[in-house]
Amino acid sequence: MCGIIGFAGNLPAKDVLIDGLEQLEYRGYDSAGIAIMDPSAGLLLAKKVGRVADLREAAKKLETKGTTGIGHTRWATHGGVTDANAHPHRVGRVTLIHNGIIENYRDLTVQYGLKDMLKSETDSEVAAAFLDKVYEGDPIDAIRKVVKLLSGSFALCIMFDDQPGKIYSVRNVSPLVAAASKKGAIIASDLTAIIAYSKEYFVVPEYHILTLSEEGIKVEDMKGNEVKPEILTVNWDISAAQKGGYPHFMLKEIYEQPDALSRTIMPRVKDGLPYLLDDGIDDEVLKGVKNINIVACGTAMHAGMVGRTVLENRLRIPVTVEIASEFRYKDPIIDEGTLTIVLSQSGETIDTLEALKLAKSKGSKVISIVNVKGSTIARESDYVLYTHAGPEIAVASTKAYTVQISAMYLIACRMGFVKGILKEDEAKEFVQNLMNAGELIKETLLNANNIKRIANYIKVAPDVFYIGRGIDYTMCLEASLKLKEISYIHSEAYAAGELKHGTIALISEGVPVIAIATDENVYSKVISNIREVKSRGAYVILISHDDDINDNTICDKQIKIPDADSTFSVFATAAVLQLIAYFVSDAKGLDVDKPRNLAKSVTVE
Ligand code: M6R
């Protein structure tokens, strides 16, 4: 969602800001803007609906060597996609950018008589107006007064006309990271925008006020006490956030999966068994677990569903998987034997974060599976199992999904072992298979050209159906989401046996049905379901372990994945399904990495 960058240092701010906004584009946005303090001309502003490239063009007319400024990419929530609603917002002496939602903006407008100061429809501009109203020359004091009265989530970067060379910042919930380097102080929504300047950074603590200047960053709490935040080190390079020769980030990230899996799994295997002690998860935590709530959103939730099949089928532990936005508004059943596992690539998804807090408040221990180090979800959890996928830039999640599955498997296997449900040799065999997951993906990727040809058939279809049973059904759910989000083709995922209870009415001549059949226990059942759609004219693409079937009463096209137990075939199947979505989107000439209306990190509910 909205991306924030601020810079106060000794480089031309215009370049730093626009380059940084380009790095933040992946978060999803519909307009962009910058504001720069020019030593002679004063405050210069450029903002525009459209891409950062359009802003770069528009900003050419800002002739400035100013070295202090703020930049923003906006994902509209309050107010339409217009130039006026784009950030930065300037009211009186205050110029500001905001990520989040100020929930009480209407009340503040009325109560403090701000209406006549506003030119946009945004909640953000209200914060700028309010600040200008209370500002009496002491920025910290003004910020303190305003922040105390804001409700909702916010990350704010603020410049005051009479404070040259300084940016002030404060946040609640919405993420911000900051770094001080020889070139100056920099702050941003995430690391991708600051890694070019520093590998050392800190997570901006909530309700602390930052003053950024060429000299560095001062952090103080709301009472004015100076605070030294913990300095973290980025463990990846700027090249990890670049395309590295691939036409799109999504394709690059699909191909990165074998390495991402190995980075996530290998350090957690000791003597052939899963080892989670380095993550702070000792066996006592897992031993007493009687039931599990898995909570997440979107793709991360689908990874949780894959995890559930293993926990339930192999370990006989009851598991519920909940959509975080639903979980947070219900009264979840939690007792002393309940473990909550939350999954999140970004570690910032607001619904997942709130669900986590709810589970904790009810007494559940929480393990989070998170990709971004130091993110809010990671910090709020009792235990964190970091996935090591590296930065995922494409909006469509790929490598984060498969590493989340692998982390779920590690937890499941260790839990099964310490509970005595899995014998040592069974647990070791499980781990052995898990360590081979990357190889299954590598082998599958060799089939990319065949998958691309098949995608050419799908690209013209108005509707696509995915069918499968058991663990393959969970893969269908993820496949359908992936296709919809980047190709804009309507698709649905169905448990293969359920189709004839209604949806089969939609099957007619030529409708693509992608069937997944990797589980030998239900293989013949899926084949029967395939025959049902085939005899109604469907164009069936079968993903299975079969060699050439050569029977057009079953399928029109086949994608063979490497032999493996269905628990581990998910890795190969995922790669196939990701490639299908990717090639369809690309063949349609769409913006694969930045699909319309979507944001990478969903920080509003
Ligand atoms: O960062 P998170 O894993 O918490 O994000 C959750 C979902 O928004 C995310 O998985 C989304 O569904 C994917 N980007 C879709 O590919």
Side-chain angles (χ1 to χ4, degrees):
M1 302 216 135
C2 300
I4 276 184
I5 181 155
F7 178 76
N10 51 32
L11 298 173
K14 188 163 90 174
D15 298 336
V16 176
L17 298 178
I18 297 182
D19 291 351
L21 290 181
E22 263 171 7
Q23 295 296 328
L24 296 172
E25 278 191 294
Y26 81 100
R27 295 171 65 89
Y29 71 105
D30 38 56
S31 49
I34 53 169
I36 296 167
M37 280 186 169
D38 185 80
S40 44
L43 201 284
L44 301 174
L45 192 64
K47 53 182 188 170
K48 255 190 107 38
V49 167
R51 292 298 186 196
V52 174
D54 303 322
L55 173 70
R56 193 183 279 283
E57 209 39 50
K60 279 189 180 151
K61 60 176 186 291
L62 297 187
E63 285 189 15
T64 176
K65 292 199 167 53
T67 58
T68 306
I70 53 181
H72 189 267
T73 47
R74 172 174 187 252
W75 191 86
T77 56
H78 290 56
V81 179
T82 64
D83 289 351
N85 289 340
H87 300 213
H89 289 289
R90 176 158 173 75
V91 182
R93 300 150 295 172
V94 174
T95 308
L96 154 157
I97 51 176
H98 166 226
N99 174 19
I101 292 181
I102 296 166
E103 286 164 3
N104 59 341
Y105 75 106
R106 281 184 209 278
D107 296 345
L108 293 174
T109 306
V110 175
Q111 206 173 335
Y112 294 93
L114 307 174
K115 193 164 182 291
D116 293 342
M117 302 168 80
L118 306 175
K119 297 183 288 293
S120 79
E121 307 151 330
T122 65
D123 52 332
S124 313
E125 195 188 21
V126 172
F130 196 10
L131 275 164
D132 187 59
K133 187 130 199 167
V134 301
Y135 184 53
E136 288 170 343
D138 181 347
I140 304 282
D141 183 55
I143 292 169
R144 244 186 243 137
K145 279 183 187 146
V146 167
V147 158
K148 271 187 203 150
L149 295 168
L150 298 184
S151 58
S153 57
F154 49 84
L156 297 168
C157 282
I158 310 151
M159 297 191 301
F160 295 85
D161 283 0
D162 59 354
Q163 303 290 331
K166 290 197 177 121
I167 297 170
Y168 299 86
S169 183
V170 64
R171 79 173 188 104
N172 173 42
V173 183
S174 305
L176 278 177
V177 288
S181 76
K182 282 188 197 129
K183 293 167 185 152
I186 187 157
I187 186 161
S189 297
D190 67 54
L191 285 172
T192 52
I194 67 176
I195 193 167
Y197 304 92
S198 174
K199 285 198 122 190
E200 303 211 310
Y201 69 101
F202 62 90
V203 175
V204 175
E206 286 176 334
Y207 286 106
H208 283 63
I209 301 173
L210 271 60
T211 308
L212 290 90
S213 67
E214 192 181 344
E215 282 73 52
I217 305 176
K218 183 174 175 199
V219 183
E220 54 194 289
D221 67 16
M222 296 301 274
K223 292 189 182 128
N225 304 310
E226 196 166 341
V227 169
K228 294 274 168 225
E230 184 193 354
I231 301 295
L232 304 169
T233 307
V234 191
N235 57 1
W236 46 269
D237 205 68
I238 185 72
S239 63
Q242 291 168 342
K243 286 187 197 147
Y246 286 87
H248 298 101
F249 280 109
M250 182 178 175
L251 191 61
K252 175 181 176 240
E253 288 159 6
I254 290 171
Y255 276 81
E256 280 174 345
Q257 290 179 105
D259 286 345
L261 282 163
S262 128
R263 283 197 301 271
T264 302
I265 299 166
M266 296 311 182
R268 296 181 170 118
V269 176
K270 201 169 175 185
D271 302 327
L273 290 168
Y275 178 79
L276 305 179
L277 213 50
D278 288 348
D279 300 287
I281 305 174
D282 69 34
D283 289 348
E284 289 313 306
V285 176
L286 303 177
K287 230 182 224 165
V289 173
K290 297 211 169 46
N291 53 72
I292 298 173
N293 285 328
I294 297 176
V295 190
C297 300
T299 294
M301 197 257 302
H302 293 152
M305 290 177 106
V306 179
R308 174 178 62 187
T309 58
V310 172
L311 285 159
E312 286 196 334
N313 297 353
R314 295 199 179 212
L315 309 186
R316 313 302 304 152
I317 297 171
V319 182
T320 62
V321 180
E322 299 266 8
I323 297 169
S325 55
E326 291 294 313
F327 182 88
R328 62 179 288 196
Y329 291 113
K330 60 188 261 186
D331 189 8
I333 302 171
I334 287 175
D335 57 37
E336 67 281 8
T338 306
L339 171 70
T340 301
I341 303 179
V342 304
L343 298 104
S344 176
Q345 187 285 128
S346 61
E348 301 295 348
T349 301
I350 192 81
D351 285 320
T352 309
L353 173 64
E354 293 302 325
L356 177 167
K357 289 181 182 165
L358 176 67
K360 269 177 86 173
S361 73
K362 299 245 170 203
S364 176
K365 287 277 176 237
V366 177
I367 299 182
S368 65
I369 297 174
V370 173
N371 197 40
V372 177
K373 203 170 156 187
S375 55
T376 315
I377 290 176
R379 283 181 286 115
E380 291 282 338
S381 306
D382 296 302
Y383 310 98
V384 191
L385 210 69
Y386 280 113
T387 50
H388 298 297
E392 190 179 64
I393 306 294
V395 164
S397 187
T398 53
K399 60 178 179 172
Y401 169 68
T402 43
V403 293
Q404 282 163 349
I405 295 173
S406 74
M408 287 295 310
Y409 281 13
L410 286 167
I411 295 174
C413 186
R414 186 75 206 176
M415 194 181 286
F417 176 64
V418 299
K419 278 174 166 290
I421 303 166
L422 288 182
K423 297 199 191 78
E424 186 168 332
D425 56 334
E426 289 170 328
K428 282 186 170 167
E429 190 189 337
F430 187 97
V431 169
Q432 203 56 44
N433 284 324
L434 182 57
M435 291 197 298
N436 193 40
E439 288 306 312
L440 296 178
I441 293 184
K442 270 189 199 158
E443 206 178 318
T444 305
L445 293 175
L446 297 175
N447 203 7
N449 283 337
N450 179 31
I451 296 170
K452 188 174 182 177
R453 279 192 290 275
I454 292 172
N456 267 327
Y457 181 85
I458 297 170
K459 77 173 188 209
V460 291
D463 308 287
V464 173
F465 293 86
Y466 289 89
I467 59 170
R469 285 173 180 249
I471 204 163
D472 290 337
Y473 169 53
T474 68
M475 303 307 289
C476 291
L477 290 165
E478 171 57 10
S480 174
L481 169 61
K482 210 90 302 170
L483 186 72
K484 276 183 280 220
E485 69 174 325
I486 58 169
S487 77
Y488 317 149
I489 293 176
H490 165 251
S491 81
E492 293 199 33
Y494 262 84
E498 183 66 9
L499 208 62
K500 54 184 156 298
H501 296 285
T503 310
I504 203 163
L506 296 172
I507 303 295
S508 58
E509 201 56 40
V511 171
V513 174
I514 301 175
I516 311 173
T518 72
D519 183 351
E520 60 183 34
N521 296 318
V522 288
Y523 177 83
S524 60
K525 304 281 175 203
V526 180
I527 296 297
S528 300
N529 299 137
I530 292 174
R531 286 188 195 278
E532 289 159 8
V533 292
K534 194 74 194 89
S535 57
R536 285 160 181 84
Y539 184 87
V540 174
I541 298 151
L542 174 65
I543 302 169
S544 69
H545 301 125
D546 295 298
D547 292 323
D548 282 351
I549 287 187
N550 213 0
D551 177 351
N552 64 9
T553 64
I554 297 180
C555 63
D556 299 275
K557 293 279 179 232
Q558 232 188 300
I559 301 172
K560 179 178 161 46
I561 54 165
D563 287 333
D565 180 282
S566 66
T567 301
F568 301 98
S569 287
V570 295
F571 295 100
T573 308
V576 171
L577 299 168
Q578 293 162 352
L579 283 177
I580 290 177
Y582 170 77
F583 285 129
V584 171
S585 173
D586 191 36
K588 288 183 78 174
L590 299 173
D591 191 344
V592 177
D593 289 333
K594 296 192 282 291
R596 68 185 179 206
N597 303 340
L598 290 175
K600 180 67 180 164
S601 152
V602 182
T603 50
V604 295
E605 66 172 294

